[in-house]
Amino acid sequence: MIAVANGTKQKAKLPSIKNLTAEQERKVLARMLKNYLTELDNELDADALINKYSEELEDLCTIDKDTKDTFGFVNTWWVFGEVASELDYAVFMAEADNIGYKRSKRGERPMPNDLYRTDLNGDILFDDGIETTILDAMRKIDWN
């Protein structure tokens, strides 16, 4: 639909959307953009939604290459959002940019660690009142 709206493809040549009505196209876009839409967007047609949310749609249509072999061609964050809306319990989520080292052909190089902190002896630090790592955040949660 995005390629049709920006003029790079023809709707009649795309089997997945060629039979969709304007309302069906709008519903597909609304489902994809569920977290972005406002009440004012209810009046917009599919082309207007594509124009207004082009960057968001581009992000949502980006396939997660890391999980392609396991899950196929999907945006795993969008799927997670759909599944999470059906669950009725808390989920702890964290993302570590640094894990304490960087591996290269020449070996490992020490780097910052977002997972946990250690003292000079290499022992893991926790329950010291400092909350800067993922482990600190996890230990703060009441898991019961």
Side-chain angles (χ1 to χ4, degrees), residues 14 17 27 34-35 42 55-56 59 61 76 78 82 86 117 127 134 136 138-139:
L14 301 171
I17 64 167
K27 284 182 180 180
K34 64 183 185 275
N35 295 328
N42 290 337
E55 289 179 28
E56 292 84 352
D59 286 342
C61 292
T76 51
W78 187 86
E82 288 289 296
E86 301 293 322
R117 295 175 290 115
D127 290 339
I134 293 172
D136 297 328
M138 288 179 64
R139 294 193 54 80

Side-chain angles (χ1 to χ4, degrees), residues 11-87:
K11 183 177 177 179
K13 294 183 178 181
L14 301 171
S16 61
I17 64 167
K18 72 178 182 181
N19 295 324
L20 292 180
T21 66
E23 183 57 29
Q24 289 171 326
E25 287 180 8
R26 195 196 177 295
K27 284 182 180 180
V28 168
L29 290 168
R31 182 149 187 232
M32 288 178 68
L33 293 165
K34 64 183 185 275
N35 295 328
Y36 299 100
L37 296 179
T38 65
E39 285 191 31
L40 297 174
D41 295 329
N42 290 337
E43 304 301 319
L44 300 178
D45 65 1
D47 287 338
L49 285 174
I50 290 171
N51 288 332
K52 182 175 179 180
Y53 293 105
S54 61
E55 289 179 28
E56 292 84 352
L57 285 166
E58 187 175 321
D59 286 342
L60 291 168
C61 292
T62 301
I63 294 168
D64 190 346
K65 294 176 184 172
D66 295 337
T67 60
K68 181 178 65 171
D69 294 336
T70 306
F71 300 113
F73 297 98
V74 298
N75 181 308
T76 51
W77 280 108
W78 187 86
V79 172
F80 177 79
E82 288 289 296
V83 172
S85 68
E86 301 293 322
L87 303 176

Side-chain angles (χ1 to χ4, degrees), residues 105-123:
K105 292 180 181 180
R106 297 182 192 152
E108 293 179 4
R109 185 175 74 209
M111 297 288 286
N113 191 338
D114 296 337
L115 299 172
Y116 59 87
R117 295 175 290 115
T118 59
D119 61 15
L120 295 175
N121 297 327
D123 296 326

